[in-house]
Structures are given as structure tokens and as C-alpha cells.
Amino acid sequence: MKTQIIAAAVCSIFAAGAAFAAPVTAEGTGIGKHGDVTVAVTFDGNRITDIKIVKEQENPVLAKKVYTDLKALVQETSSVDVDVVSGATFTSKGLLDAVADAAKKAGVKLAKADRRALAKAGKSIPKNSTYDVVVIGAGGAGFSAAIEAKNAGANVVLLEKMPAVGGNSLISGAEMNVAQNWVQPKLGITDDSPELHAADTIKGGDNKGDPKVINVMTHNALDAAKWCRDYLGVRFEDDNLFFFGGHSRKRALIPFGHTGTEFISKFQAKADELGIPVITGMKAEELIKDQNGRVVGVKATMAGEEYTFNAKGGIVLATGGFGANPEMVKKYNPAIDERFKTTDAPGTTGEGLYMAERAGAELVNLSYIQTYPICDPISGVIELIADSRFDGAILINQEGKRFVEELERRDVISQAILAQTGAYCWVLWNDKIGAISNTVTTHPTEYEAFTKQGIMTTCDDLKCIADFTKIPYDSLKATTERVSSMTGKGNDKDFKHRAGLVDLSQGKYYVIKAVPSVHHTMGGVRINEKAQALTAEGKVIPGLWAAGEVTGVTHGTNRLGGNAYTDIIVFGRIAGKAAAEAAK
Ligand code: ADP
């Protein structure tokens, strides 16, 4: 209100055409990905002389360029008519809207951007350079490879096509399965083993994974986790583990904050400390082979310019999967069509797979694509706040009826949701369930953002939930009464809820709308136990290693929760070390 009064006064000064008005500062707000972005902008006439970020809660890794480069550009051009930072569209818009809002409040009319002022000087990267190891893709696999290669004595460079590092590894929940980890004994788990972890993984992927590769993953998991904890400084919860579906033991370590930000920020800090150049905005286009068939480099582009990176030891391909490429998803699995959005980072578009294929690698298991059932209908991201489902939240359709067992496999729930009216569902829980998982307090930014989007609400009673969701009240009441009459393990006559339903007769209630989204692509480059890329005949392609979601033999038909992080770190490290050795 105060700002508005100031703004009104300033507005009349400008309207009167006063040439010598003093600089004025006004606050403005826009909506980012995780809630409000508030800025204080100082204007001197129509020129922006300063922008301060007052409040924001965006992902620090993804938002970095928005608050540095984009902010500087807005100030330099005194305009919000500039391009958003790709990969951080929501945060960029939040900042631009906030500045526009401040301008409006200050009565300032911002200019259309001068396109010439936007032309940025190209970075001083040589057009042709030679390294021992070139790593492509700065997610968890790529960082692991680059750091290990450097520590094995190699001169290494890490190329990333997006403006920010992290890929899917950043936005993931980042739990990491490790048999015989240091938390298990505290929870009384003393009978886990890498063999058991491997057996669970093979079975969970319907025997389509490569047992040799899987065993390397599970037997190196503990060492990889200790490397993350002791060498990189990744902090894990000390007294808690996740128990994902398909595992016979509770074995997933949980990073602080329950996201990949904890890993990626530590990876970036270690790369900085070791002096590894991480070139963002550099897109690998084509692998280069010599006359003997060895991969010896990569052609890349940045802002339309071509660059060549020669690799004496070899290339580590760590470009992730193809979940954010809807055409490619549909091509390999026509059932996953345009109805699906994606949980994935925008750089997850799969061209790395084709690059490997053109270099002779075999691509396998491409039709195995995992969807996650409970995601934001607007952005496609996972609704972590709805993890209350693991503690008893129910899924209901627009008619107010349950339609699937809430703890079924991800693909089964996804298909069931698509069969409902509007191809969405509502997740409903109450304080009794909230008291166990506390997802609303664990994910306050989600709560704020989803509420603002109008897909989530909190109510004291069911009538209010019915009004918000437009579900017929009588049906909603009947469903919750029936659920409350069948609580406890073994009592759900309708859908056999395996953990047992929870009493829903009392509020406070929480409800959120959800749809399934593409989450993980299991297929990719065929590799061996040493992370070497293989041809269809099973021959090693010299000079080419691959690690992480770009590979296709670890997870079979279905990746078990918590196995992606184990996979990327174990094989990223193996690939980086081996490529460094090959350069000697
Ligand atoms: P993983 O979990 O296997 O490490 P991520 O999705 O976390 O996979 O990381 C893969 C990274 O590779 C992403 O940051 C993505 O933007 C990047 N990437 C994908 N394709 C290319 C490419 N052609 N050139 C450079 N980087 C790429």
C-alpha cells in the first residue's frame, strides 16, 4: 500500500513532465517457480539504475543466471523486453514481472529493448582446443566423471548445453540406494547386501537389465556414497532412510533438503576448487572419430559458433535421458503421447543418444519409459507435497470416487488416472496423515506455489473441499466415510491398500490436483561393466565411455526409486578414471 502511494505521487510528477525528478525506488513482485520474487528497483527518470532482490525462494543453482546475467541485462537496457534464461523460464518471468510491477508502481514507462544493446560479446573460448578428457553433460554423472578424471591427473573440460548445470540430477529427490550404508544399523537393518540390492534391481526391471553392470553398481555404491560424503561434503540425513517400492530393504540415503541441490552445489564447488572448466551454453553436436575408429573429440556449438574439443584419452558421454523430448518419447513408446507432460529438466532431450549411435554404439531398451503419477498439471513437475500418499492420502476422481490402490506401481496408477474424467485426479489427506509425513511443512514453497496456482487448498471441512474441487459433496462424504470404516492393514475391501487406510473423518483437509508425467527413460547406450560404449556386436568403441541416464542397461523395464543416483555416481566415476588413464 505504502509503495502504491509513493508510486502515485511519482506518477503525477512524471505526468507533469518534471525533468529533474529525484531517483525513486519501488518494490515489485512477480511469481517465480517456487513462489514470489520481490525486487526493489531504483529508477532515474526512465532508466533503471539498480535492482535488488528482496525476497525469492527459487532453486539456487537454476536461478543463478537469472539473478546475475538477466538482472544485469534488464538494468543495462532499462527494459524487461529481453529473452528469458532458457531452463529457468519461470524464475526469469518472475524477475521480469517483478521489475515491470515496480516500474508500474513508480509510474515509469520502460523502454522496448534496443536489440543492439542485447548483443552480448562472445566468450573467449578457443575454436579448437585439446584436453585429455572431454566430459559432455554437467549432471551428476558428468560431474563425477570430470572430478575423477582430474584427480587421476587428466586435463579435463566439462561441456553443458544449458545455461545452468545440474540436469535431472539437480531437480531429483536425489535419494541414493546403498546396501550396508552407515544409517542402516541405526534402524536395525543388518542383513542387507550388494547382492540383495542387485537382485532387487534385476527383478524390479523384469530381468531386462544387465546383471554384470548392475552388480558393479551395487558393489560400488557404498564407496561412491562415502566419496560424496567425505570428499565432496554432501550432507545426508543421519538417522533416516527412504524405502522405495521394489526394494527388499530400506537402503536409500537422503541428502539434506531431499533434492539434488545438495549434490550439485557440492559438485560445482569441487570442480571450481580443482580448476575444472565448466562451459555452459556449449552444446555437443557430433563425436569425432579417427581413421582407426577411435573417438577423439567432439564438435560443439555455442550461439551459432562452432567449436572443436579434441580428447586425447576420450569422451565421457553423460548427457542424460530424453524425457523432455515428447516426439522421441512417443516414437519409442506410442502409449506415452501428448497427454503427458514431463518432470524432467529441459535439457533432457536425448540427442546424446543419437550422437553415440552415429559413432557406432547400440541403443537398447528405448521403449521403457517411466511415468510418475502425481505431478503438477500446469508444469509437469513432481508434487513432492503429495508424498502424503505414502502415509495414507487417497486418490479420487472428479466424481469423488477412489479408482486405484494408492500404493500401486507408478505405471499402473498413471494409466488409471488417465482413464478418469479429465485424465486427472485429486489427492486428499487430513492432519492425521499430515502428522506422519508432514509434507506441507517439509515443502512450504510448493504449498505456496500450488495454492497460488489454484490447484491446491486447505479446508477445515469437506464441504469446503467439495466447493474447491467441484466434486459432488455427497459423493466425497460417502468416500471418506467408507475409507474411515476400513482403516488398518488388510481392511481395504475396495482396493486392498497394502499399508492400510487411515481415518479421514476429521479435518483439517488438504487436496491437490495431479496428473502423470514422463519421469525417466530407462533405455540408452549399451555399456559394459567398465562404462565403455558397445556396438551391437558387443565390441568396445575405443575412446567412448557413457554414464548415467544416457545409458540403457541398468534399470531394465523399470527403474527402482533411489537407483538413479547410485548409477550416475558409480559409473560417472568409473568412466572418468578410465578416460584419464587412456590419455597417459
Ligand atoms: P545424469 O543423471 O545421467 O547425470 P542429468 O540429466 O542430470 O543426467 O544431466 C545431463 C546433462 O547433460 C544435463 O544438464 C543436460 O542439459 C546436458 N546435455 C544434454 N545434451 C547435451 C549436449 N548435446 N551437449 C551438452 N550437454 C548436454
Side-chain angles (χ1 to χ4, degrees), residues 162-224:
M162 300 303 286
V165 298
N168 274 350
S169 304
L170 177 70
I171 57 172
S172 145
E175 288 84 15
M176 178 177 181
N177 289 319
V178 178
Q180 296 173 341
N181 68 57
W182 56 90
V183 182
Q184 281 183 326
K186 295 184 193 167
L187 305 182
I189 303 162
T190 52
D191 60 349
D192 198 6
S193 69
E195 290 76 20
L196 205 52
H197 182 189
D200 290 345
T201 303
I202 294 165
K203 183 166 171 233
D206 293 324
N207 298 310
K208 295 282 186 201
D210 180 336
K212 283 201 220 122
V213 173
I214 291 170
N215 268 288
V216 170
M217 176 178 87
T218 62
H219 283 84
N220 287 280
L222 183 58
D223 189 48

Side-chain angles (χ1 to χ4, degrees), residues 309-323:
F309 295 87
N310 304 295
K312 284 194 227 153
I315 297 279
V316 177
L317 192 67
T319 47
F322 58 96

Side-chain angles (χ1 to χ4, degrees), residues 442-515:
T442 314
H443 302 287
T445 51
E446 278 198 9
Y447 181 67
E448 196 186 322
F450 291 143
T451 305
K452 252 195 175 153
Q453 274 181 17
I455 60 164
M456 174 160 198
T457 201
T458 309
C459 289
D460 286 331
D461 56 49
L462 283 175
K463 177 75 180 58
C464 157
I465 294 281
D467 288 345
F468 177 80
T469 57
K470 311 263 184 306
I471 293 173
Y473 172 64
D474 291 346
S475 168
L476 188 62
K477 190 159 167 286
T479 296
T480 52
E481 279 172 4
R482 182 153 176 84
V483 165
S484 304
S485 75
M486 301 191 296
T487 59
K489 208 167 172 173
N491 296 328
D492 175 12
K493 294 188 200 69
D494 298 341
F495 295 98
K496 303 198 171 28
H497 194 284
R498 65 195 74 185
L501 293 165
V502 178
D503 182 79
L504 272 175
S505 57
Q506 301 289 323
K508 200 181 202 170
Y509 294 100
Y510 306 87
V511 76
I512 186 165
K513 195 175 194 177
V515 299

Side-chain angles (χ1 to χ4, degrees), residues 341-421:
K341 291 194 165 56
T342 182
T343 66
D344 286 4
T348 316
T349 46
E351 67 275 7
L353 279 78
Y354 291 140
M355 250 187 279
E357 190 177 45
R358 288 193 294 272
E362 186 187 16
L363 302 183
V364 291
N365 294 332
L366 294 176
S367 65
Y368 303 136
I369 295 169
Q370 186 171 76
T371 57
Y372 193 86
I374 306 297
C375 301
D376 176 359
I378 298 162
S379 69
V381 300
I382 294 188
E383 295 171 345
L384 294 171
I385 202 163
D387 278 357
S388 49
R389 179 167 63 95
F390 303 121
D391 294 317
I394 58 167
L395 304 184
I396 50 179
N397 58 20
Q398 191 54 45
E399 289 75 38
K401 300 260 184 344
R402 286 176 73 214
F403 55 90
V404 70
E405 192 233 331
E406 286 78 358
L407 297 181
E408 252 292 5
R409 282 166 55 150
R410 292 172 176 181
D411 54 343
V412 175
I413 299 180
S414 297
Q415 285 306 324
I417 292 171
L418 291 178
Q420 307 309 306
T421 305

